[in-house]
Amino acid sequence: DFKRSMELAPECLGTKVFYAEVYLVEEEKEEEFEKILKEVLAAPAGPKEIGPENILDKKRAEELLRKKEKLF
């Protein structure tokens, strides 16, 4: 489940982005969607092993926030 994955690997920003994009949009939880994506943007890139992936996840979070009005 998403919450457990985020607890086990908080440095993996992709899980939060996917959670917001898939689950929170489906459940129409706009406030939590915005909160989670802003957390992603504020987070460091993380360990060098996943830094490049996290940078892409941050870009996806920006895109989703820009599209928020269309998603909700």
Side-chain angles (χ1 to χ4, degrees), residues 3-16 39-40 43-44 46-47 50 54:
K3 297 270 185 183
R4 183 77 174 133
S5 295
M6 290 186 286
E7 288 173 9
L8 291 173
E11 70 280 356
C12 293
L13 302 179
T15 305
K16 289 184 175 188
E39 286 177 8
V40 168
I50 61 170
N54 279 346

Side-chain angles (χ1 to χ4, degrees), residues 5-55:
S5 295
M6 290 186 286
E7 288 173 9
L8 291 173
E11 70 280 356
C12 293
L13 302 179
T15 305
K16 289 184 175 188
V17 174
F18 193 65
Y19 172 68
E21 184 175 14
V22 175
Y23 180 76
L24 297 177
V25 170
E26 179 69 27
E27 295 295 316
E28 298 181 8
K29 296 184 175 188
E30 185 175 353
E31 287 182 21
E32 189 174 356
F33 172 88
E34 189 170 340
K35 177 182 176 259
I36 291 287
L37 294 178
K38 285 182 177 181
E39 286 177 8
V40 168
L41 293 176
K48 65 180 177 181
E49 298 84 14
I50 61 170
E53 182 179 341
N54 279 346
I55 290 169

Side-chain angles (χ1 to χ4, degrees), residues 37 41 57-67:
L37 294 178
L41 293 176
D57 292 328
K58 286 174 170 277
K59 289 179 182 178
R60 182 68 183 149
E62 288 174 343
E63 291 172 15
L64 290 169
L65 284 171
R66 280 196 301 272
K67 292 179 16 178

